[in-house]
Amino acid sequence: MKLRVSGTQTTKQKFSSTLRGWLPILQANLDNLMETLEPFVQENPFITVTSGSEVVEKKFEKKNFFQEASKTSVSGTIEALTLDKKSLFQTLHEQINPPLFPTEKSQRIAYEIIENINAEGYFEADALHEIAQKLHVKSEEVEKIQQRFAYLEPLGVGALDLKETFLFQLQELSLEETLYENVEKLILNFESIESFNKEPLFHESLSVIKHFRNPPAIDFMEETKEVIPDIFIYPVDEGIEVRLNDAYYPEVMIDTEGLDENHSFVSQKIKEAKDLVDALEMRKATLYKIGLMIIEYQYDFFFGKAIKPMKLKDLADDLGRNPSTISRAIAGKYLSCSRGIIPLKQFFATALEEDISNSAIKEYMLELVKYENKIKPLSDLKLLECIETKFNIKMVRRTITKYRQQFNIASSSERKKLYTLTY
């Protein structure tokens, strides 16, 4: 394997208290990096930041510390340029407050849960134990906090699966007791819902269920902006080229013309401005090295193979970083390659066995369903048997059911009905 390093890549290897102090810059996505820099710009009269976005060609205005503040603030500039609604994750973050999350501990757990909610609004169950280990709490505590998401907007967000998101949404409805119980009964027996068609209030209950959001974050999915990848992977004759999305990086300019740089206030602000430049460069350096390590671990993936097991700690050890820092660095960030735009977190698949990842299991399951007998579709139990035989591992059926639901694949009985309608 040969990696070709892009000439635009920084050579900085610095990691010190500077980066820890500017951690929000590392954690920010490219599309909100300018907004993250706003507080630094407001507090420093010698900084001008130009947006690297190809869409927004605007400059932050300097804040004059020696005259009355300008009527047009940076926030106002951003607000005027931003027409999009708040993202799902912004909406959830704003709700992590007392009384629902009264302690710092409950809020930390809630924020970690949000990091593991996918674009459809479902909580990725595989992350439950990882969150517990990361925060040194019991898994039961994470589950307890996850259940409180039933009271957040959008209704049903943070649920583990279709049934739970419907139950979350049901809790918020004011229904007559008998109707409520019937709706709950249908949800809990969703796989065999047709067998209840002679039950009292069946049609009324089904009408209630039809009004539930599925997936729970569907309103946000319709408004989703185009994803801006941080890393590009290009296959070339010599191997693979890794390149950062430099075009979207803000440019920080320090203006000290005519100033006495020995003055304590001026020298302090110049130092802070240089730290900001260093922080942006260190963000680039960290993400670039993450891109290189992903290629080293997942080289075959970029040529059509499945993702291999890769632990966050392995990457952190190789980079000489704290796992929590790397976790922040990859959260909400994407890699663009010939196979599409992929969340960086997807490369850190949970290993089922030493050489098998859950991603490989899922890919094989999708292949089985794609080529299954349309007259007799594969049940979850049969899918389980095929997977256990293929990979020589032991699993439980509910795991296969969970994987199937993650891809919005209907049950075997429902697929048989769909095939009948189609063919």
Side-chain angles (χ1 to χ4, degrees):
M1 177 183 70
K2 182 177 180 181
L3 302 178
R4 192 174 115 196
V5 180
S6 170
T8 61
Q9 170 57 28
T10 178
T11 57
K12 287 184 177 290
Q13 303 296 319
K14 190 175 175 183
F15 182 77
S16 63
S17 58
T18 299
L19 181 54
R20 289 193 292 272
W22 304 89
L23 197 54
I25 294 172
L26 176 63
Q27 191 171 357
N29 302 326
L30 270 182
D31 57 354
N32 62 20
L33 188 53
M34 281 284 282
E35 187 176 349
T36 304
L37 297 180
E38 177 191 348
F40 306 128
V41 177
Q42 285 184 323
E43 296 171 2
N44 199 318
F46 311 128
I47 295 178
T48 300
V49 181
T50 306
S51 171
S53 170
E54 297 171 358
V55 178
V56 183
E57 294 294 341
K58 281 283 185 178
K59 287 187 178 181
F60 281 134
E61 293 187 14
K62 294 184 189 178
K63 181 175 179 181
N64 192 326
F65 274 58
F66 311 105
Q67 298 177 3
E68 188 174 345
S70 169
K71 294 181 181 179
T72 305
S73 67
V74 177
S75 298
T77 302
I78 292 175
E79 185 176 347
L81 294 169
T82 305
L83 301 176
D84 296 290
K85 295 179 181 180
K86 290 178 181 177
S87 70
L88 172 64
F89 301 101
Q90 287 174 313
T91 301
L92 292 175
H93 268 268
E94 291 176 355
Q95 299 177 74
I96 308 304
N97 299 302
L100 199 55
F101 305 98
T103 65
E104 182 181 348
K105 181 180 181 181
S106 65
Q107 291 173 13
R108 286 203 318 271
I109 295 173
Y111 288 134
E112 285 296 328
I113 290 173
I114 290 174
E115 288 295 325
N116 290 278
I117 289 178
N118 61 30
E120 293 185 339
Y122 289 106
F123 173 56
E124 299 171 352
D126 291 345
L128 193 148
H129 296 298
E130 293 177 9
I131 292 174
Q133 290 178 347
K134 179 179 179 180
L135 299 182
H136 306 291
V137 298
K138 295 179 180 178
S139 296
E140 291 77 10
E141 293 180 85
V142 180
E143 289 183 89
K144 183 179 178 180
I145 298 300
Q146 180 257 340
Q147 287 297 307
R148 297 182 193 176
F149 276 64
Y151 304 99
L152 300 185
E153 293 286 346
L155 293 179
V157 75
L160 293 172
D161 52 33
L162 181 66
K163 284 185 181 180
E164 191 170 67
T165 192
F166 282 178
L167 291 173
F168 277 9
Q169 295 176 60
L170 177 62
Q171 291 181 40
E172 293 300 296
L173 294 182
S174 299
L175 300 178
E176 187 271 325
E177 184 177 356
T178 305
L179 179 58
Y180 186 99
E181 291 174 353
N182 274 273
V183 174
E184 185 177 41
K185 184 177 180 180
L186 289 187
I187 293 172
L188 293 175
N189 297 277
F190 210 69
E191 293 87 353
S192 55
I193 195 169
E194 290 186 351
S195 64
F196 292 86
N197 62 358
K198 293 183 180 179
E199 293 280 333
L201 300 176
F202 172 78
H203 294 291
E204 292 88 342
S205 301
L206 196 59
S207 178
V208 172
I209 292 175
K210 286 179 179 179
H211 284 86
F212 289 154
R213 285 190 179 94
N214 178 36
I218 188 169
D219 292 342
F220 291 86
M221 293 171 65
E222 292 172 353
E223 298 293 335
T224 300
K225 296 188 296 183
E226 181 182 358
V227 172
I228 302 174
D230 265 273
I231 301 169
F232 293 104
I233 303 296
Y234 297 101
V236 293
D237 293 339
E238 298 86 352
I240 291 181
E241 179 176 330
V242 185
R243 190 179 293 175
L244 293 181
N245 192 354
D246 286 323
Y248 272 85
Y249 269 85
E251 182 181 358
V252 179
M253 290 165 284
I254 306 172
D255 184 6
T256 59
E257 186 177 355
L259 297 174
D260 179 6
E261 297 189 21
N262 294 319
H263 189 283
S264 59
F265 175 82
V266 175
S267 62
Q268 176 62 29
K269 292 301 176 183
I270 291 175
K271 180 183 181 302
E272 291 175 3
K274 290 179 178 178
D275 285 345
L276 179 59
V277 174
D278 283 343
L280 282 169
E281 292 301 316
M282 285 188 282
R283 182 190 193 278
K284 289 184 180 182
T286 302
L287 286 171
Y288 184 77
K289 283 183 275 187
I290 287 173
L292 290 176
M293 295 308 301
I294 285 176
I295 289 177
E296 182 176 338
Y297 279 94
Q298 307 287 356
Y299 187 80
D300 290 340
F301 168 81
F302 297 100
F303 295 94
K305 300 294 181 63
I307 291 177
K308 294 180 180 178
M310 183 177 180
K311 295 180 181 179
L312 191 62
K313 186 178 183 300
D314 294 337
L315 179 63
D317 290 344
D318 284 340
L319 295 176
R321 305 287 192 259
N322 188 294
S324 63
T325 300
I326 302 303
S327 177
R328 290 185 176 95
I330 67 173
K333 296 181 178 64
Y334 298 81
L335 176 152
S336 178
C337 65
S338 59
R339 299 188 67 175
I341 296 178
I342 302 163
L344 294 186
K345 287 187 66 173
Q346 187 169 321
F347 292 100
F348 299 89
T350 304
L352 296 173
E353 295 290 343
E354 184 177 352
D355 295 319
I356 306 168
S357 73
N358 60 358
S359 293
I361 300 292
K362 291 175 182 178
E363 285 192 17
Y364 182 60
M365 182 194 71
L366 290 173
E367 184 179 346
L368 287 173
V369 172
K370 182 178 179 180
Y371 297 106
E372 69 184 349
N373 186 327
K374 310 304 179 187
I375 298 175
K376 190 177 181 181
L378 299 169
S379 65
D380 288 353
L381 187 59
K382 188 61 180 177
L383 287 171
L384 174 64
E385 292 175 1
C386 293
I387 288 170
E388 287 183 335
T389 302
K390 167 76 172 178
F391 294 98
N392 193 26
I393 58 172
K394 294 299 295 181
M395 297 177 66
V396 293
R397 185 185 59 80
R398 65 175 177 271
T399 301
I400 302 303
T401 303
K402 180 186 70 175
Y403 288 171
R404 175 175 57 75
Q405 291 172 342
Q406 285 177 354
F407 288 99
N408 288 328
I409 297 173
S411 65
S412 57
S413 59
E414 289 299 318
R415 295 203 305 278
K416 185 175 181 179
K417 295 176 185 177
L418 292 171
Y419 291 146
T420 303
L421 293 173
T422 306
Y423 295 98

